[in-house]
Amino acid sequence: MNKKIKKLPDSKGHFNGYGGRFVPETLMPALIELEQAYKKCKKDKGFLSELDLLQRTYIGRPTPLYFARMLTENLGGAKIYLKREDLCHTGAHKINNALAQALLAKKMGKTRLIAETGAGQHGVATATGAALVGLECEIYMGSEDMRRQSLNVFRMRLLGAKVTEVTTGSKTLKDAISESLRDWTTNVRNTHYILGTVFGPHPYPRMVRDFQSVIGIEARKQILKAEKKLPDCLIACVGGGSNSIGLFYAFLTSHVSPLMSYVRMIGVEAGGQGIESGLHAARFAGGSLGVFQGCKSYLLQDDDGNVLTTHSVSAGLDYASVGPEHCYMRDLKRIEYTYATDDEAMNAFELLSRTEGIIPALESAHAIAETVKVAPAMPKDSIIIVNLSGRGDKDVQEAARIKGITL
């Protein structure tokens, strides 16, 4: 199974029956150009050397693997480590992919970057990458997300990006992605679209996964040094799925160790106000197979194929579909998928803040919520690594509003 996983996606971008490339003809040349440029850069020592230098001196990699002693003592059971992607420059794992794609766009001779954003972290990361390499930048963002993440809107504009409000549909991430695809279709010659997660038409799911896999590669080395053994369990939140596949991928493939197959992996979707309520973004719990925004995957849709409105306390998880590689891993039963509700995520948001002095992003709080459920039942010599995908500064005002507190 591991060798098969390592070879995916195939040349057409399929993860078994998922993924692919479902786009208008006008975008096909751009996707083929991107695929060829990415293949070339993967073998280009100059590109890889420049990216490695920026990862170390600009992003701040490797990020620490921190033993959360107080959280461990509070929950009992397994030892809990946090992979601190919240300490990346700009405050989240998003910069790993955005900066790499900005460099790639510069190599391709593009003069303009566009991106979509939900929680704002990918928008900030893209605006940062554009400023660094000297490209024009425009970010699409739903009205509801702009309200929830006003601080990040200001940061993007401060970094020189134009932030365009999307007022259609649910006014969240899926609508921002649709608007970005329309822009790209119109301006494909001079523009590169930095898609922020492991979704969309081929080669995005593979390319973003590869750029984010640095998370798991580092975590594996760090836990072996700290504990002299592999973790028993990995936990990460899943919106589109970039931070989770970034952590999991190094533990899936065969080149590391046969012992990898024994590492349990759990992806946590947004349960919102509960599956029965219909107000959630848990695609595996409440979705079905379909084609959406250039990709075949699980999504929330009605019987006629109309995409349903989603809900999550976390803007970054408030998305109707999920990356195709996650669907395949679910079929293989190699990764388990569950969900945390808004209330569980808010409780975890406060718990980590109180016990460790770390305010997590509301996205990451979903992973902490699952840790609260899993850790107490595990032996004290077992190990969990939780991917802390982003910091919670951006969510403090929204959390206060939800709790009825006026700042």
Side-chain angles (χ1 to χ4, degrees):
M1 182 180 73
N2 286 338
K3 288 183 179 178
K4 187 175 180 181
I5 290 173
K6 191 178 179 182
K7 291 180 179 178
L8 293 177
D10 65 17
S11 60
K12 302 291 185 182
H14 293 111
F15 298 88
N16 204 19
Y18 305 104
R21 189 182 274 163
F22 299 85
V23 295
E25 288 184 8
T26 50
L27 281 183
M28 286 301 291
L31 289 167
I32 292 170
E33 178 192 22
L34 177 61
E35 181 183 10
Q36 293 173 345
Y38 174 58
K39 284 181 179 177
K40 185 177 178 181
C41 280
K42 280 179 67 178
K43 300 176 182 176
D44 183 339
K45 291 183 179 177
F47 175 83
L48 296 176
S49 176
E50 185 177 8
L51 179 58
D52 178 70
L53 180 64
L54 287 172
Q55 285 177 335
R56 287 185 286 107
T57 61
Y58 191 74
I59 294 177
R61 306 209 70 88
T63 57
L65 183 69
Y66 166 71
F67 174 49
R69 185 181 305 278
M70 296 300 290
L71 181 63
T72 296
E73 292 178 2
N74 184 284
L75 296 180
K79 297 174 71 173
I80 301 166
Y81 282 83
L82 305 177
K83 182 57 175 165
R84 298 293 307 276
E85 292 300 292
D86 59 315
L87 296 181
C88 287
H89 177 48
T90 72
H93 73 291
K94 292 292 187 182
I95 191 71
N96 301 324
N97 167 59
L99 185 57
Q101 284 200 50
L103 286 179
L104 183 59
K106 187 80 171 181
K107 292 273 186 185
M108 293 167 64
K110 304 296 182 183
T111 59
R112 179 173 178 261
L113 300 178
I114 60 170
E116 86 299 328
T117 192
Q121 292 301 103
H122 175 56
V124 169
T126 298
T128 300
L132 184 67
V133 303
L135 298 180
E136 182 186 348
C137 183
E138 182 167 358
I139 307 294
Y140 290 93
M141 193 170 187
S143 303
E144 172 62 12
D145 291 338
M146 289 183 73
R147 180 194 66 76
R148 291 190 284 190
Q149 302 295 338
S150 58
L151 177 61
N152 274 338
V153 173
F154 178 71
R155 292 170 74 194
M156 285 182 267
R157 288 173 172 156
L158 193 63
L159 289 160
K162 177 183 178 184
V163 182
T164 299
E165 182 178 6
V166 178
T167 58
T168 55
S170 59
K171 304 172 187 176
T172 57
L173 182 58
K174 78 175 179 63
D175 310 294
I177 291 178
S178 294
E179 205 58 41
S180 298
L181 286 169
R182 289 191 193 96
D183 182 314
W184 200 28
T185 302
T186 305
N187 302 292
V188 70
R189 288 190 176 180
N190 71 332
T191 298
H192 174 64
Y193 175 21
I194 298 188
L195 216 159
T197 191
V198 287
F199 191 73
H202 179 63
Y204 282 106
R206 175 179 186 169
M207 183 172 65
V208 178
R209 178 200 70 192
D210 291 351
F211 286 145
Q212 292 292 3
S213 64
V214 65
I215 301 170
I217 292 169
E218 286 179 6
R220 178 181 176 274
K221 291 177 182 174
Q222 290 166 323
I223 198 65
L224 285 173
K225 183 177 181 180
E227 295 283 353
K228 307 293 187 280
K229 65 176 185 178
L230 294 171
D232 297 275
C233 183
L234 307 173
I235 301 176
C237 65
V238 181
S242 66
N243 93 89
S244 48
I245 209 71
L247 174 65
F248 297 158
Y249 191 65
F251 296 84
L252 287 170
T253 50
S254 60
H255 64 282
V256 278
S257 162
L259 292 175
M260 290 300 167
S261 61
Y262 297 106
V263 179
R264 184 184 181 193
M265 303 179 198
I266 306 174
V268 188
E269 297 185 287
Q273 296 181 18
I275 306 304
E276 300 77 15
S277 72
L279 299 173
H280 63 86
R283 292 67 45 100
F284 289 131
S288 57
L289 188 61
V291 172
F292 183 53
Q293 293 176 332
C295 181
K296 189 176 183 181
S297 186
Y298 268 77
L299 70 150
L300 297 173
Q301 58 185 336
D302 63 19
D303 293 339
D304 296 321
N306 297 311
V307 179
L308 297 174
T309 300
T310 56
H311 166 83
S312 173
V313 69
S314 161
L317 303 185
D318 198 352
Y319 183 55
S321 193
V322 62
E325 190 164 10
H326 285 284
C327 300
Y328 185 49
M329 291 301 126
R330 178 178 181 260
D331 288 353
L332 292 176
K333 302 186 187 307
R334 186 62 194 92
I335 302 175
E336 303 168 37
Y337 294 89
T338 185
Y339 59 87
T341 65
D342 287 352
D343 287 345
E344 290 170 337
M346 283 297 296
N347 289 337
F349 180 79
E350 295 181 62
L351 176 65
L352 190 66
S353 302
R354 193 172 60 246
T355 56
E356 293 289 349
I358 298 172
I359 302 173
L362 283 173
E363 290 82 359
S364 311
H366 286 69
I368 298 295
E370 178 64 16
T371 306
V372 171
K373 300 173 189 174
V374 170
M378 295 174 66
K380 289 188 177 297
D381 62 350
S382 59
I383 299 167
I384 295 174
I385 294 178
V386 183
N387 200 32
L388 207 63
S389 57
R391 69 185 186 214
D393 309 38
K394 65 183 179 58
D395 293 317
V396 170
Q397 284 187 320
E398 179 67 1
R401 187 190 68 81
I402 292 169
K403 292 175 67 67
I405 298 171
T406 303
L407 299 180

